[in-house]
């Protein structure tokens, strides 16, 4: 059981270049998330997808776009990389069921091992 | 708005001694609280959660956490620290009132070092 898989593990970009970070989960989770981790700032939510077909902005969405390709896959795209986007990026998923009118908040997140991105 | 504070950037403890990693939170509704651990070059791993019920929650690897509503705290504890417990620990909160979003707010993390 692989859990949450992120690719690539490391990437170096020049300012202005674009790239897509890939994430896939094999736990049949409905919800997926992209976080960035910076020293002294903890984890900050970039975008999330509550269920297949939906995406929403998190705390720090500027400069990023996402695609929920299917239930398993959730990608993060940097259209024009900037040095401020140097960070470690984590994808996560959780089992949050969505019957109409209800939401469940007590499911823990399952994280991938991260992508270390450096923008020069 | 919801927030989490971990007042200590680093905690040092001798192997075999009890350890405490502190966390305080702020939410408008009922808090759903979590602790995660991060080992070097790895993603975060879930340790334990408080949703409702007993104020003392037991989790993985011998860790437990005590929920204190009056002090809005959720401190992580372990009776006897191991060198292998050395890692970065994150506290996180969701607002369980039903009016919020899916966002889980993390603290800035506390680095735990267990000294042999």
């Amino acid at each position: 059981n692989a859990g949450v898989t992120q690719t690539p593990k490391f990437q170096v970009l020049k300012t202005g270049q674009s790239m897509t970070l890939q994430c896939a989960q094999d736990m049949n989770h409905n919800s997926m998330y992209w976080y960035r981790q910076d020293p002294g700032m903890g984890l900050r939510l970039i975008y999330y997808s509550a269920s297949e077909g939906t995406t929403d902005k998190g705390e720090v969405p500027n400069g990023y776009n996402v695609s929920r390709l299917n239930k398993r896959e959730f990608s993060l795209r940097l259209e024009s990389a900037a040095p401020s986007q140097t960070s470690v990026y984590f994808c996560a998923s959780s089992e949050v069921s969505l019957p109409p009118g209800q939401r469940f908040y007590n499911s823990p997140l399952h994280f991938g091992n991260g992508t270390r991105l450096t923008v020069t | 708005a919801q927030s989490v504070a971990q007042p200590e950037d680093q905690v040092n403890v001798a192997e075999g001694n009890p350890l405490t990693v502190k966390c305080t939170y702020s939410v408008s509704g009922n808090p759903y609280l979590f602790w995660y651990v991060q080992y070097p070059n790895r993603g975060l791993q879930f340790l334990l959660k408080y949703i409702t019920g007993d104020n003392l929650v037991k989790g993985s690897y011998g860790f437990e956490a005590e929920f204190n509503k009056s002090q809005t705290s959720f401190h992580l504890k372990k009776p006897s620290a191991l060198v292998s417990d050395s890692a970065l620990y994150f506290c996180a909160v969701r607002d369980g009132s039903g009016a919020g979003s899916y966002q889980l707010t993390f603290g800035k993390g506390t680095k735990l070092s267990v000294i042999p």
Side-chain angles (χ1 to χ4, degrees):
Chain A
N1 190 349
V4 178
T5 302
Q6 293 183 235
T7 56
K9 293 182 180 179
F10 301 93
Q11 184 71 48
V12 178
L13 293 178
K14 294 185 178 180
T15 297
Q17 288 185 318
S18 63
M19 79 161 295
T20 299
L21 281 64
Q22 305 288 352
C23 175
Q25 52 93 7
D26 62 3
M27 295 171 284
N28 203 36
H29 286 167
N30 284 315
S31 299
M32 298 185 73
Y33 312 79
W34 277 106
Y35 285 88
R36 58 178 289 173
Q37 182 179 26
D38 302 292
M41 302 194 72
L43 274 77
R44 293 180 292 169
L45 183 65
I46 304 171
Y47 271 93
Y48 65 98
S49 171
S51 62
E52 186 179 357
T54 69
T55 60
D56 286 286
K57 295 179 180 179
E59 182 183 356
V60 289
N62 292 344
Y64 305 94
N65 285 301
V66 291
S67 295
R68 183 73 183 267
L69 305 171
N70 47 56
K71 191 171 185 178
R72 289 185 65 250
E73 299 172 288
F74 188 39
S75 62
L76 178 72
R77 182 160 179 84
L78 287 69
E79 292 290 352
S80 179
S84 61
Q85 293 177 307
T86 294
S87 188
V88 181
Y89 291 86
F90 288 100
C91 178
S93 69
S94 68
E95 184 179 302
V96 179
S97 60
L98 292 173
Q102 298 183 44
R103 289 180 172 180
F104 296 90
Y105 295 91
N106 59 359
S107 302
L109 301 181
H110 297 259
F111 285 83
N113 285 332
T115 296
R116 290 185 177 274
L117 175 66
T118 301
V119 183
T120 62
Chain B
Q2 58 197 42
S3 65
V4 174
Q6 294 181 240
E8 301 156 316
D9 291 337
Q10 177 147 357
V11 170
N12 297 321
V13 63
E15 185 177 23
N17 283 1
L19 68 87
T20 298
V21 182
K22 296 179 180 177
C23 170
T24 59
Y25 66 90
S26 174
V27 293
S28 56
N30 292 325
Y32 289 167
L33 294 155
F34 303 80
W35 275 102
Y36 288 83
V37 60
Q38 184 182 31
Y39 298 102
N41 301 313
R42 302 296 298 273
L44 280 68
Q45 298 176 29
F46 169 71
L47 272 181
L48 51 81
K49 66 181 180 184
Y50 171 83
I51 303 302
T52 186
D54 291 340
N55 290 339
L56 186 63
V57 178
K58 294 188 182 297
S60 306
Y61 312 121
F63 284 93
E64 58 190 25
E66 186 172 10
F67 172 68
N68 187 317
K69 187 173 183 178
S70 62
Q71 297 185 3
T72 62
S73 66
F74 189 57
H75 301 331
L76 182 69
K77 299 182 179 183
K78 188 174 183 181
S80 178
L82 300 173
V83 173
S84 58
D85 293 330
S86 298
L88 190 56
Y89 290 81
F90 290 95
C91 182
V93 67
R94 269 194 188 118
D95 188 332
S97 67
S101 70
Y102 287 87
Q103 295 197 32
L104 184 65
T105 300
F106 285 85
K108 295 183 178 181
T110 298
K111 183 178 180 181
L112 174 67
S113 294
V114 181
I115 303 161

